[in-house]
Structures are given as structure tokens and as C-alpha cells.
PDB file of all heavy atoms in Angstrom:
ATOM      1  N   ARG A 310      72.851  79.400  64.324  1.00 74.00           N
ATOM      2  CA  ARG A 310      71.801  80.402  64.106  1.00 74.00           C
ATOM      3  C   ARG A 310      70.922  79.973  62.935  1.00 74.00           C
ATOM      4  O   ARG A 310      71.428  79.538  61.900  1.00 74.00           O
ATOM      5  CB  ARG A 310      72.390  81.766  63.814  1.00 74.00           C
ATOM      6  CG  ARG A 310      72.950  82.420  65.031  1.00 74.00           C
ATOM      7  CD  ARG A 310      71.833  83.032  65.878  1.00 74.00           C
ATOM      8  NE  ARG A 310      72.463  83.665  67.015  1.00 74.00           N
ATOM      9  CZ  ARG A 310      72.152  83.397  68.251  1.00 74.00           C
ATOM     10  NH1 ARG A 310      71.219  82.544  68.531  1.00 74.00           N
ATOM     11  NH2 ARG A 310      72.760  84.008  69.232  1.00 74.00           N
ATOM     12  N   ILE A 311      69.630  80.115  63.114  1.00 76.00           N
ATOM     13  CA  ILE A 311      68.700  79.617  62.119  1.00 76.00           C
ATOM     14  C   ILE A 311      67.391  80.384  62.203  1.00 76.00           C
ATOM     15  O   ILE A 311      67.071  80.950  63.249  1.00 76.00           O
ATOM     16  CB  ILE A 311      68.466  78.102  62.341  1.00 76.00           C
ATOM     17  CG1 ILE A 311      67.783  77.474  61.150  1.00 76.00           C
ATOM     18  CG2 ILE A 311      67.709  77.838  63.611  1.00 76.00           C
ATOM     19  CD1 ILE A 311      67.951  75.983  61.103  1.00 76.00           C
ATOM     20  N   VAL A 312      66.666  80.408  61.134  1.00 77.00           N
ATOM     21  CA  VAL A 312      65.316  80.972  61.137  1.00 77.00           C
ATOM     22  C   VAL A 312      64.339  79.805  61.122  1.00 77.00           C
ATOM     23  O   VAL A 312      64.682  78.706  60.666  1.00 77.00           O
ATOM     24  CB  VAL A 312      65.079  81.915  59.928  1.00 77.00           C
ATOM     25  CG1 VAL A 312      65.994  83.129  60.003  1.00 77.00           C
ATOM     26  CG2 VAL A 312      65.248  81.190  58.616  1.00 77.00           C
ATOM     27  N   PRO A 313      63.126  80.009  61.631  1.00 80.00           N
ATOM     28  CA  PRO A 313      62.167  78.896  61.724  1.00 80.00           C
ATOM     29  C   PRO A 313      61.904  78.173  60.407  1.00 80.00           C
ATOM     30  O   PRO A 313      61.665  76.965  60.412  1.00 80.00           O
ATOM     31  CB  PRO A 313      60.906  79.568  62.254  1.00 80.00           C
ATOM     32  CG  PRO A 313      61.415  80.729  63.034  1.00 80.00           C
ATOM     33  CD  PRO A 313      62.623  81.211  62.278  1.00 80.00           C
ATOM     34  N   ASP A 314      61.992  78.878  59.274  1.00 84.00           N
ATOM     35  CA  ASP A 314      61.742  78.224  57.983  1.00 84.00           C
ATOM     36  C   ASP A 314      62.813  77.208  57.601  1.00 84.00           C
ATOM     37  O   ASP A 314      62.649  76.481  56.626  1.00 84.00           O
ATOM     38  CB  ASP A 314      61.613  79.260  56.870  1.00 84.00           C
ATOM     39  CG  ASP A 314      60.168  79.622  56.594  1.00 84.00           C
ATOM     40  OD1 ASP A 314      59.265  79.055  57.248  1.00 84.00           O
ATOM     41  OD2 ASP A 314      59.934  80.469  55.720  1.00 84.00           O
ATOM     42  N   GLU A 315      63.912  77.154  58.349  1.00 87.00           N
ATOM     43  CA  GLU A 315      64.966  76.181  58.069  1.00 87.00           C
ATOM     44  C   GLU A 315      64.852  74.935  58.952  1.00 87.00           C
ATOM     45  O   GLU A 315      65.475  73.927  58.662  1.00 87.00           O
ATOM     46  CB  GLU A 315      66.335  76.821  58.284  1.00 87.00           C
ATOM     47  CG  GLU A 315      66.643  77.932  57.304  1.00 87.00           C
ATOM     48  CD  GLU A 315      67.948  78.622  57.632  1.00 87.00           C
ATOM     49  OE1 GLU A 315      67.983  79.377  58.614  1.00 87.00           O
ATOM     50  OE2 GLU A 315      68.920  78.386  56.893  1.00 87.00           O
ATOM     51  N   LEU A 316      64.081  75.003  60.013  1.00 91.00           N
ATOM     52  CA  LEU A 316      63.953  73.869  60.931  1.00 91.00           C
ATOM     53  C   LEU A 316      63.235  72.699  60.266  1.00 91.00           C
ATOM     54  O   LEU A 316      62.395  72.885  59.385  1.00 91.00           O
ATOM     55  CB  LEU A 316      63.184  74.283  62.184  1.00 91.00           C
ATOM     56  CG  LEU A 316      63.833  75.344  63.063  1.00 91.00           C
ATOM     57  CD1 LEU A 316      62.868  75.784  64.158  1.00 91.00           C
ATOM     58  CD2 LEU A 316      65.124  74.811  63.666  1.00 91.00           C
ATOM     59  N   VAL A 317      63.554  71.485  60.722  1.00 94.00           N
ATOM     60  CA  VAL A 317      62.908  70.266  60.242  1.00 94.00           C
ATOM     61  C   VAL A 317      62.351  69.543  61.463  1.00 94.00           C
ATOM     62  O   VAL A 317      63.120  69.087  62.319  1.00 94.00           O
ATOM     63  CB  VAL A 317      63.907  69.355  59.494  1.00 94.00           C
ATOM     64  CG1 VAL A 317      63.228  68.056  59.062  1.00 94.00           C
ATOM     65  CG2 VAL A 317      64.521  70.085  58.313  1.00 94.00           C
ATOM     66  N   GLN A 318      61.033  69.438  61.554  1.00 95.00           N
ATOM     67  CA  GLN A 318      60.430  68.816  62.738  1.00 95.00           C
ATOM     68  C   GLN A 318      60.494  67.298  62.643  1.00 95.00           C
ATOM     69  O   GLN A 318      59.890  66.693  61.773  1.00 95.00           O
ATOM     70  CB  GLN A 318      58.979  69.255  62.915  1.00 95.00           C
ATOM     71  CG  GLN A 318      58.404  68.727  64.214  1.00 95.00           C
ATOM     72  CD  GLN A 318      56.986  69.178  64.479  1.00 95.00           C
ATOM     73  OE1 GLN A 318      56.368  69.866  63.685  1.00 95.00           O
ATOM     74  NE2 GLN A 318      56.468  68.771  65.623  1.00 95.00           N
ATOM     75  N   TRP A 319      61.213  66.675  63.585  1.00 94.00           N
ATOM     76  CA  TRP A 319      61.342  65.226  63.603  1.00 94.00           C
ATOM     77  C   TRP A 319      60.594  64.580  64.765  1.00 94.00           C
ATOM     78  O   TRP A 319      60.518  63.361  64.864  1.00 94.00           O
ATOM     79  CB  TRP A 319      62.807  64.793  63.607  1.00 94.00           C
ATOM     80  CG  TRP A 319      63.601  65.230  64.811  1.00 94.00           C
ATOM     81  CD1 TRP A 319      64.388  66.324  64.915  1.00 94.00           C
ATOM     82  CD2 TRP A 319      63.693  64.562  66.076  1.00 94.00           C
ATOM     83  NE1 TRP A 319      64.960  66.391  66.159  1.00 94.00           N
ATOM     84  CE2 TRP A 319      64.552  65.323  66.892  1.00 94.00           C
ATOM     85  CE3 TRP A 319      63.127  63.391  66.601  1.00 94.00           C
ATOM     86  CZ2 TRP A 319      64.861  64.952  68.200  1.00 94.00           C
ATOM     87  CZ3 TRP A 319      63.435  63.025  67.905  1.00 94.00           C
ATOM     88  CH2 TRP A 319      64.293  63.798  68.688  1.00 94.00           C
ATOM     89  N   GLY A 320      60.029  65.396  65.639  1.00 95.00           N
ATOM     90  CA  GLY A 320      59.300  64.834  66.770  1.00 95.00           C
ATOM     91  C   GLY A 320      58.413  65.874  67.410  1.00 95.00           C
ATOM     92  O   GLY A 320      58.446  67.063  67.058  1.00 95.00           O
ATOM     93  N   GLY A 321      57.608  65.413  68.332  1.00 96.00           N
ATOM     94  CA  GLY A 321      56.713  66.304  69.052  1.00 96.00           C
ATOM     95  C   GLY A 321      56.209  65.624  70.307  1.00 96.00           C
ATOM     96  O   GLY A 321      56.524  64.459  70.571  1.00 96.00           O
ATOM     97  N   THR A 322      55.447  66.359  71.086  1.00 96.00           N
ATOM     98  CA  THR A 322      54.892  65.792  72.315  1.00 96.00           C
ATOM     99  C   THR A 322      53.377  65.912  72.309  1.00 96.00           C
ATOM    100  O   THR A 322      52.792  66.639  71.499  1.00 96.00           O
ATOM    101  CB  THR A 322      55.423  66.523  73.562  1.00 96.00           C
ATOM    102  OG1 THR A 322      54.854  67.835  73.614  1.00 96.00           O
ATOM    103  CG2 THR A 322      56.944  66.587  73.582  1.00 96.00           C
ATOM    104  N   ASP A 323      52.749  65.217  73.233  1.00 94.00           N
ATOM    105  CA  ASP A 323      51.300  65.327  73.388  1.00 94.00           C
ATOM    106  C   ASP A 323      50.891  66.729  73.816  1.00 94.00           C
ATOM    107  O   ASP A 323      49.725  67.088  73.715  1.00 94.00           O
ATOM    108  CB  ASP A 323      50.779  64.300  74.399  1.00 94.00           C
ATOM    109  CG  ASP A 323      50.545  62.936  73.771  1.00 94.00           C
ATOM    110  OD1 ASP A 323      50.720  62.804  72.545  1.00 94.00           O
ATOM    111  OD2 ASP A 323      50.179  62.003  74.497  1.00 94.00           O
ATOM    112  N   ASN A 324      51.827  67.530  74.303  1.00 95.00           N
ATOM    113  CA  ASN A 324      51.545  68.921  74.684  1.00 95.00           C
ATOM    114  C   ASN A 324      51.757  69.886  73.515  1.00 95.00           C
ATOM    115  O   ASN A 324      51.670  71.091  73.702  1.00 95.00           O
ATOM    116  CB  ASN A 324      52.433  69.356  75.850  1.00 95.00           C
ATOM    117  CG  ASN A 324      52.092  68.620  77.120  1.00 95.00           C
ATOM    118  OD1 ASN A 324      51.042  68.006  77.238  1.00 95.00           O
ATOM    119  ND2 ASN A 324      52.993  68.677  78.089  1.00 95.00           N
ATOM    120  N   ALA A 325      52.077  69.352  72.342  1.00 95.00           N
ATOM    121  CA  ALA A 325      52.336  70.124  71.120  1.00 95.00           C
ATOM    122  C   ALA A 325      53.694  70.821  71.119  1.00 95.00           C
ATOM    123  O   ALA A 325      53.918  71.751  70.353  1.00 95.00           O
ATOM    124  CB  ALA A 325      51.213  71.109  70.817  1.00 95.00           C
ATOM    125  N   ASP A 326      54.614  70.391  71.981  1.00 96.00           N
ATOM    126  CA  ASP A 326      55.992  70.873  71.910  1.00 96.00           C
ATOM    127  C   ASP A 326      56.620  70.296  70.644  1.00 96.00           C
ATOM    128  O   ASP A 326      56.214  69.229  70.165  1.00 96.00           O
ATOM    129  CB  ASP A 326      56.801  70.411  73.130  1.00 96.00           C
ATOM    130  CG  ASP A 326      56.144  70.804  74.442  1.00 96.00           C
ATOM    131  OD1 ASP A 326      55.777  71.985  74.597  1.00 96.00           O
ATOM    132  OD2 ASP A 326      55.981  69.916  75.308  1.00 96.00           O
ATOM    133  N   ILE A 327      57.606  70.988  70.094  1.00 95.00           N
ATOM    134  CA  ILE A 327      58.228  70.615  68.825  1.00 95.00           C
ATOM    135  C   ILE A 327      59.679  70.235  69.057  1.00 95.00           C
ATOM    136  O   ILE A 327      60.408  70.941  69.751  1.00 95.00           O
ATOM    137  CB  ILE A 327      58.146  71.797  67.838  1.00 95.00           C
ATOM    138  CG1 ILE A 327      56.694  72.046  67.446  1.00 95.00           C
ATOM    139  CG2 ILE A 327      59.035  71.574  66.627  1.00 95.00           C
ATOM    140  CD1 ILE A 327      56.486  73.338  66.675  1.00 95.00           C
ATOM    141  N   LEU A 328      60.102  69.122  68.461  1.00 96.00           N
ATOM    142  CA  LEU A 328      61.517  68.757  68.409  1.00 96.00           C
ATOM    143  C   LEU A 328      61.929  68.894  66.958  1.00 96.00           C
ATOM    144  O   LEU A 328      61.360  68.238  66.079  1.00 96.00           O
ATOM    145  CB  LEU A 328      61.735  67.317  68.893  1.00 96.00           C
ATOM    146  CG  LEU A 328      61.583  67.125  70.409  1.00 96.00           C
ATOM    147  CD1 LEU A 328      60.137  66.850  70.758  1.00 96.00           C
ATOM    148  CD2 LEU A 328      62.461  66.014  70.892  1.00 96.00           C
ATOM    149  N   ALA A 329      62.879  69.791  66.701  1.00 94.00           N
ATOM    150  CA  ALA A 329      63.258  70.087  65.317  1.00 94.00           C
ATOM    151  C   ALA A 329      64.766  70.072  65.146  1.00 94.00           C
ATOM    152  O   ALA A 329      65.504  70.528  66.018  1.00 94.00           O
ATOM    153  CB  ALA A 329      62.700  71.442  64.895  1.00 94.00           C
ATOM    154  N   TRP A 330      65.163  69.534  64.008  1.00 93.00           N
ATOM    155  CA  TRP A 330      66.571  69.569  63.649  1.00 93.00           C
ATOM    156  C   TRP A 330      66.959  70.968  63.208  1.00 93.00           C
ATOM    157  O   TRP A 330      66.174  71.671  62.570  1.00 93.00           O
ATOM    158  CB  TRP A 330      66.861  68.645  62.481  1.00 93.00           C
ATOM    159  CG  TRP A 330      66.979  67.203  62.810  1.00 93.00           C
ATOM    160  CD1 TRP A 330      67.687  66.623  63.810  1.00 93.00           C
ATOM    161  CD2 TRP A 330      66.368  66.138  62.072  1.00 93.00           C
ATOM    162  NE1 TRP A 330      67.566  65.260  63.757  1.00 93.00           N
ATOM    163  CE2 TRP A 330      66.755  64.940  62.695  1.00 93.00           C
ATOM    164  CE3 TRP A 330      65.543  66.088  60.959  1.00 93.00           C
ATOM    165  CZ2 TRP A 330      66.343  63.694  62.228  1.00 93.00           C
ATOM    166  CZ3 TRP A 330      65.132  64.857  60.497  1.00 93.00           C
ATOM    167  CH2 TRP A 330      65.528  63.671  61.134  1.00 93.00           C
ATOM    168  N   ILE A 331      68.187  71.314  63.508  1.00 91.00           N
ATOM    169  CA  ILE A 331      68.836  72.488  62.947  1.00 91.00           C
ATOM    170  C   ILE A 331      69.769  71.927  61.885  1.00 91.00           C
ATOM    171  O   ILE A 331      70.794  71.326  62.210  1.00 91.00           O
ATOM    172  CB  ILE A 331      69.608  73.271  64.026  1.00 91.00           C
ATOM    173  CG1 ILE A 331      68.647  73.747  65.107  1.00 91.00           C
ATOM    174  CG2 ILE A 331      70.377  74.412  63.394  1.00 91.00           C
ATOM    175  CD1 ILE A 331      69.333  74.348  66.320  1.00 91.00           C
ATOM    176  N   PRO A 332      69.386  72.038  60.606  1.00 91.00           N
ATOM    177  CA  PRO A 332      70.153  71.364  59.552  1.00 91.00           C
ATOM    178  C   PRO A 332      71.484  72.045  59.245  1.00 91.00           C
ATOM    179  O   PRO A 332      71.643  72.732  58.243  1.00 91.00           O
ATOM    180  CB  PRO A 332      69.206  71.381  58.351  1.00 91.00           C
ATOM    181  CG  PRO A 332      68.305  72.533  58.593  1.00 91.00           C
ATOM    182  CD  PRO A 332      68.197  72.698  60.081  1.00 91.00           C
ATOM    183  N   LYS A 333      72.430  71.836  60.136  1.00 88.00           N
ATOM    184  CA  LYS A 333      73.790  72.378  59.978  1.00 88.00           C
ATOM    185  C   LYS A 333      74.771  71.227  60.177  1.00 88.00           C
ATOM    186  O   LYS A 333      74.667  70.476  61.146  1.00 88.00           O
ATOM    187  CB  LYS A 333      74.080  73.460  61.017  1.00 88.00           C
ATOM    188  CG  LYS A 333      73.112  74.623  61.011  1.00 88.00           C
ATOM    189  CD  LYS A 333      73.409  75.592  59.905  1.00 88.00           C
ATOM    190  CE  LYS A 333      72.464  76.765  60.001  1.00 88.00           C
ATOM    191  NZ  LYS A 333      72.842  77.885  59.243  1.00 88.00           N
ATOM    192  N   GLY A 334      75.713  71.055  59.264  1.00 87.00           N
ATOM    193  CA  GLY A 334      76.689  69.985  59.375  1.00 87.00           C
ATOM    194  C   GLY A 334      76.168  68.702  58.743  1.00 87.00           C
ATOM    195  O   GLY A 334      75.295  68.717  57.874  1.00 87.00           O
ATOM    196  N   GLU A 335      76.704  67.582  59.185  1.00 89.00           N
ATOM    197  CA  GLU A 335      76.308  66.279  58.662  1.00 89.00           C
ATOM    198  C   GLU A 335      74.924  65.899  59.181  1.00 89.00           C
ATOM    199  O   GLU A 335      74.651  66.024  60.384  1.00 89.00           O
ATOM    200  CB  GLU A 335      77.324  65.216  59.089  1.00 89.00           C
ATOM    201  CG  GLU A 335      78.682  65.374  58.455  1.00 89.00           C
ATOM    202  CD  GLU A 335      78.629  65.231  56.945  1.00 89.00           C
ATOM    203  OE1 GLU A 335      77.954  64.309  56.439  1.00 89.00           O
ATOM    204  OE2 GLU A 335      79.254  66.065  56.260  1.00 89.00           O
ATOM    205  N   PRO A 336      74.022  65.413  58.310  1.00 87.00           N
ATOM    206  CA  PRO A 336      72.650  65.104  58.735  1.00 87.00           C
ATOM    207  C   PRO A 336      72.546  64.198  59.964  1.00 87.00           C
ATOM    208  O   PRO A 336      71.687  64.411  60.817  1.00 87.00           O
ATOM    209  CB  PRO A 336      72.037  64.446  57.497  1.00 87.00           C
ATOM    210  CG  PRO A 336      72.782  65.059  56.358  1.00 87.00           C
ATOM    211  CD  PRO A 336      74.194  65.241  56.870  1.00 87.00           C
ATOM    212  N   GLY A 337      73.403  63.216  60.088  1.00 86.00           N
ATOM    213  CA  GLY A 337      73.342  62.328  61.247  1.00 86.00           C
ATOM    214  C   GLY A 337      73.712  63.002  62.551  1.00 86.00           C
ATOM    215  O   GLY A 337      73.459  62.468  63.631  1.00 86.00           O
ATOM    216  N   ASP A 338      74.308  64.188  62.455  1.00 88.00           N
ATOM    217  CA  ASP A 338      74.758  64.921  63.635  1.00 88.00           C
ATOM    218  C   ASP A 338      73.992  66.215  63.865  1.00 88.00           C
ATOM    219  O   ASP A 338      74.391  67.028  64.701  1.00 88.00           O
ATOM    220  CB  ASP A 338      76.252  65.249  63.515  1.00 88.00           C
ATOM    221  CG  ASP A 338      77.111  64.012  63.446  1.00 88.00           C
ATOM    222  OD1 ASP A 338      76.760  63.005  64.084  1.00 88.00           O
ATOM    223  OD2 ASP A 338      78.134  64.047  62.735  1.00 88.00           O
ATOM    224  N   TRP A 339      72.914  66.446  63.113  1.00 92.00           N
ATOM    225  CA  TRP A 339      72.171  67.690  63.275  1.00 92.00           C
ATOM    226  C   TRP A 339      71.709  67.862  64.712  1.00 92.00           C
ATOM    227  O   TRP A 339      71.132  66.935  65.304  1.00 92.00           O
ATOM    228  CB  TRP A 339      70.955  67.709  62.370  1.00 92.00           C
ATOM    229  CG  TRP A 339      71.251  67.940  60.916  1.00 92.00           C
ATOM    230  CD1 TRP A 339      72.446  68.295  60.346  1.00 92.00           C
ATOM    231  CD2 TRP A 339      70.316  67.822  59.844  1.00 92.00           C
ATOM    232  NE1 TRP A 339      72.310  68.410  58.990  1.00 92.00           N
ATOM    233  CE2 TRP A 339      71.015  68.126  58.647  1.00 92.00           C
ATOM    234  CE3 TRP A 339      68.975  67.497  59.782  1.00 92.00           C
ATOM    235  CZ2 TRP A 339      70.399  68.108  57.405  1.00 92.00           C
ATOM    236  CZ3 TRP A 339      68.365  67.475  58.534  1.00 92.00           C
ATOM    237  CH2 TRP A 339      69.066  67.780  57.363  1.00 92.00           C
TER     238      TRP A 339
END
């Protein structure tokens, strides 16, 4: 469970879709 202010955007698409990490646990496994 997370609120948008905690997300970290690591990618996106040409359609403006967002790929975001949920920073929970070990960073390599987010």
C-alpha cells in the first residue's frame, strides 16, 4: 500500500503511461 507521493518513476511510454517503483523492501527488488 502506498500513496502517489511515495512512488518513484523509473520509466514511461510514448502514451504517457507511468512505470513507478513502490519503494518497499530492498531497492533491487522494488
Side-chain angles (χ1 to χ4, degrees):
R310 286 281 181 235
I311 194 160
V312 296
D314 265 359
E315 294 175 287
L316 296 172
V317 177
Q318 186 177 2
W319 63 264
T322 70
D323 276 356
N324 293 344
D326 305 310
I327 292 170
L328 287 88
W330 281 313
I331 299 171
K333 303 281 183 165
E335 292 297 316
D338 298 326
W339 285 351

